[in-house]
Amino acid sequence: MNQKKGFIALMSVIIITFVLLLLGISLGFTGFFGRLNIFDSELKVRSNALAEACIEVAILKIAEDPAYSQGSISVIPVDAESCYIFSVDNSGGKAEVFTGGVAGIGGKAYSCYRSVVDVSIFEIIEFEELLTGDTCAFP
């Protein structure tokens, strides 16, 4: 009879140890993946900033040359990252500008913006984030 009690106690210890081990492993992975999610959100913020910086560069080019338009992609390197001016359609007192930003080594985060600029006062009057695709075809 004592042998059965010892067997039950041994099996209980093994099961409880296994459950605690699984709990510890899952909590460890939660922290690890949480850090990766924070890093991904940091890269997204940086790609947004790069795309917005290229809008400002496009506005500067329009200010320097009021007839400035661009149909091809212009790459502006910023340290190890890049921002892109995809196109500038400057007609009728307003310029439609498509820009993008790529952050992270190997391009981990992308942002694409469409903005409309009033060229008489060099102010952004429309601003929206787009999905990457035909309009923002990153090289």
Side-chain angles (χ1 to χ4, degrees):
M1 187 114 15
N2 268 345
Q3 289 179 345
K4 286 186 179 182
K5 288 183 182 178
F7 179 75
I8 292 173
L10 180 63
M11 291 307 292
S12 297
V13 167
I14 290 172
I15 290 171
I16 290 170
T17 302
F18 184 71
V19 168
L20 288 174
L21 183 65
L22 286 177
L23 182 65
I25 289 171
S26 68
L27 287 175
F29 277 124
T30 301
F32 179 72
F33 289 125
R35 277 187 275 150
L36 290 178
N37 287 339
I38 290 169
F39 183 64
D40 286 344
S41 65
E42 168 76 19
L43 288 177
K44 183 62 178 174
V45 167
R46 285 174 35 195
S47 71
N48 286 342
L50 287 165
E52 290 173 15
C54 265
I55 293 171
E56 298 298 328
V57 170
I59 291 172
L60 177 64
K61 289 183 179 188
I62 293 169
E64 291 174 344
D65 178 12
Y68 176 79
S69 274
Q70 176 184 323
S72 61
I73 297 174
S74 181
V75 181
I76 300 168
V78 180
D79 289 333
E81 300 166 337
S82 301
C83 76
Y84 298 86
I85 300 174
F86 292 108
S87 67
V88 177
D89 181 17
N90 186 2
S91 59
K94 294 181 182 175
E96 185 176 44
V97 180
F98 289 93
T99 62
V102 179
I105 298 170
K108 301 235 183 235
Y110 296 87
S111 293
C112 179
Y113 288 122
R114 174 194 164 271
S115 56
V116 177
V117 177
D118 184 342
V119 296
S120 63
I121 56 174
F122 305 110
E123 185 175 292
I124 298 170
I125 55 176
E126 288 182 39
F127 183 78
E128 67 178 317
E129 185 171 6
L130 305 172
L131 297 174
T132 57
D134 294 335
T135 307
C136 295
F138 290 92

